[in-house]
Amino acid sequence: MRFTKCTQIFVISCAIAGLSNATKVVAQENASELALLRGAAESGDTTAQFTLANRYYRGLGVRQDYEKALALYEKAADQGLAAAENRLGMMYELGLGVPQSYGRAMTFYRKAAVQGNALAQFNLGMLYESGKGGRLDYSQALDWFSKAAEQAEPNAEEEVGYFHQRGFLGARDYEKAREWYKRAAEHGCANAQNQLGYMAQLGLGMEQDYVQALDWYYKAAAQGNPNAQENIGYLYQHGLGVETDYAQAQTWYYKAAGQGNSNAENQLGYMNQYGMGIPPDFAQALAWYRMAADQGNKTAIENLKALSERLQGTDAELWQAANAESKQAAEAQAARRVRIAKLQLEIVALELDARQEESLAEQVSGPINGLGTIGAAKLRKEADKYRAEAGRLRAELAGLDVLAASAGVQ
């Protein structure tokens, strides 16, 4: 069918009108949902209070407002909603809308944890493991990680594996470490997948197996894990389990470096300095060493010092030009890295919110007093909103990753 110009204008006008109407419908639906949430929250529905608080916390469909979020979380927490207590713990731990306080964070995490909230149990374990709550206690940390792991919380399963791998509370037990890592890996934990690759690469408690290592690294890298990306680059650079391929090594190092992995940044500096698969480029080498050194990477600090002294001693003019160029490149990449890190944190947080909403939906479906006036279906719809936003941010993250891989530090 061929359209005349007038027909085309009519079709376009109809399409625009259709889009406008669709936008209005979506806006009306959002306004209706907000009105429903506000009404239910005011009537004391804890799930509505928590869900509406999440909207303000994330700034989804409303203006981000930590003060309003805090007030709503507190109302739900006062009625004993564990998910709200856990979120209050997060706000105090991160200092979002409140003065940062690890002590307050620990108090709220514990309230939720004793109710069986797996995320709170994990968060409480992390405070004990890091000592941020004022008390470094590996025994308490493992106890809470184990409770969360029993509920199939992937990050907790990975932590239990890590405790066994490192032997924090006794002898190292690689068999138990692999067992817990596999459980976490099956639940999609990229860190656990990377650790399984690492154990296979080094032959920890098993026969060394580079092929198996690469397989696990690829699984973790597919989820954007920078450590796995760096490890893949290392295997290609040194020809371990694969043919030596500097182009592949660079590609994976770029991905990892774009997310701030200092080992990958250092390796890119090394490859540029010695011309591994590319012409030697001292400015690029200095830039990558500088980025890694700024993060405290000891090897990069030494490499930066050695190359700088060498260039200063042989060609002062070349040194000045390369040093100036490297500083500009390092600043540009550092800004990109900050944005990537922020996106990663937002994606993880949105996925956690989606899981919390789904958990509440399951509770609403059961005989739990005080829950359910907004309905399980609406809670699951909220979870879908968070996952949709996480998907949008992943697309943005992928674009930044491509930029880092294709443009290097330019």
Side-chain angles (χ1 to χ4, degrees):
M1 179 183 293
R2 184 178 180 184
F3 293 123
T4 65
K5 185 174 182 181
C6 290
T7 304
Q8 289 174 337
I9 292 173
F10 174 74
V11 171
I12 292 170
S13 298
C14 289
I16 292 173
L19 287 173
S20 178
N21 288 334
T23 302
K24 288 179 181 177
V25 169
V26 171
Q28 288 171 353
E29 287 180 353
N30 288 337
S32 176
E33 288 175 359
L34 279 172
L36 176 66
L37 283 174
R38 288 192 177 107
E42 289 172 4
S43 69
D45 185 321
T46 57
T47 57
Q49 290 166 345
F50 178 77
T51 300
L52 184 57
N54 281 347
R55 291 282 192 97
Y56 285 115
Y57 184 82
R58 297 286 170 217
L60 287 178
V62 294
R63 191 177 195 176
Q64 188 177 50
D65 190 325
Y66 288 135
E67 186 176 341
K68 288 183 179 179
L70 182 71
L72 286 161
Y73 286 137
E74 287 176 339
K75 287 180 179 179
D78 287 343
Q79 297 185 69
L81 187 69
E85 292 168 340
N86 177 64
R87 179 50 54 77
L88 286 171
M90 292 172 63
M91 294 186 76
Y92 277 103
E93 181 179 355
L94 300 174
L96 300 176
V98 293
Q100 186 183 51
S101 171
Y102 292 125
R104 292 279 288 166
M106 182 170 278
T107 297
F108 280 113
Y109 285 150
R110 188 180 298 280
K111 285 182 178 181
V114 296
Q115 292 191 67
N117 185 283
L119 291 177
Q121 291 168 343
F122 171 75
N123 289 333
L124 186 56
M126 289 300 293
L127 287 184
Y128 277 117
E129 182 182 359
S130 64
K132 288 181 178 178
R135 179 183 170 192
L136 180 67
D137 191 327
Y138 288 140
S139 179
Q140 282 279 351
L142 182 58
D143 183 53
W144 287 111
F145 286 146
S146 297
K147 284 181 170 62
E150 288 168 3
Q151 298 187 65
E153 169 54 43
N155 292 325
E157 291 171 332
E158 189 266 336
E159 280 291 337
V160 174
Y162 188 68
F163 267 60
H164 285 299
Q165 180 187 341
R166 295 299 302 275
F168 285 152
L169 294 172
R172 296 173 187 260
D173 191 328
Y174 294 131
E175 185 176 345
K176 284 187 177 180
R178 280 200 308 277
E179 177 185 333
W180 281 103
Y181 283 150
K182 285 181 179 178
R183 286 178 60 168
E186 289 170 358
H187 291 139
C189 179
N191 285 334
Q193 293 166 345
N194 178 67
Q195 286 301 113
L196 285 168
Y198 182 77
M199 294 184 77
Q201 179 181 337
L202 297 186
L204 299 178
M206 61 180 291
E207 186 175 345
Q208 193 174 48
D209 189 336
Y210 292 124
V211 174
Q212 185 180 151
L214 193 61
D215 182 55
W216 282 115
Y217 287 151
Y218 272 126
K219 285 183 171 67
Q223 297 191 64
N225 186 282
N227 295 327
Q229 293 168 343
E230 183 249 323
N231 287 331
I232 294 172
Y234 185 87
L235 293 183
Y236 274 110
Q237 180 184 349
H238 297 280
L240 301 174
V242 292
E243 293 292 329
T244 299
D245 189 329
Y246 292 141
Q248 280 286 339
Q250 277 191 303
T251 294
W252 286 103
Y253 283 150
Y254 276 135
K255 288 178 179 293
Q259 298 187 66
N261 183 289
S262 65
N263 289 329
E265 291 169 342
N266 178 67
Q267 289 298 328
L268 285 168
Y270 187 86
M271 295 182 79
N272 276 280
Q273 180 178 349
Y274 293 101
M276 301 179 74
I278 50 175
D281 188 327
F282 294 135
Q284 289 277 312
L286 286 171
W288 286 115
Y289 285 151
R290 192 183 304 279
M291 278 184 277
D294 287 345
Q295 296 186 71
N297 187 292
K298 293 181 180 179
T299 303
I301 291 172
E302 294 172 0
N303 288 338
L304 178 62
K305 182 174 182 292
L307 180 56
S308 297
E309 290 176 349
R310 174 186 162 190
L311 291 176
Q312 285 176 305
T314 57
D315 192 330
E317 187 175 338
L318 173 63
W319 152 249
Q320 289 179 354
N323 187 47
E325 184 180 339
S326 75
K327 287 182 178 179
Q328 292 179 352
E331 288 174 0
Q333 183 69 355
R336 183 186 303 150
R337 187 172 62 223
V338 168
R339 179 57 183 156
I340 287 174
K342 183 179 179 181
L343 284 171
Q344 289 172 327
L345 288 174
E346 289 177 352
I347 289 168
V348 170
L350 285 164
E351 289 291 351
L352 287 177
D353 281 350
R355 286 166 55 193
Q356 288 279 32
E357 292 290 339
E358 288 173 340
S359 177
L360 288 175
E362 291 175 6
Q363 294 178 46
V364 165
S365 299
I368 295 185
N369 213 6
L371 297 176
T373 62
I374 64 171
K378 292 193 181 298
L379 291 171
R380 292 193 178 95
K381 189 174 181 180
E382 285 292 314
D384 290 341
K385 289 181 185 293
Y386 295 126
R387 290 222 162 86
E389 178 65 8
R392 186 187 70 78
L393 295 182
R394 280 197 185 90
E396 184 179 342
L397 181 61
L400 288 172
D401 185 45
V402 169
L403 179 63
S406 61
V409 293
Q410 296 299 324

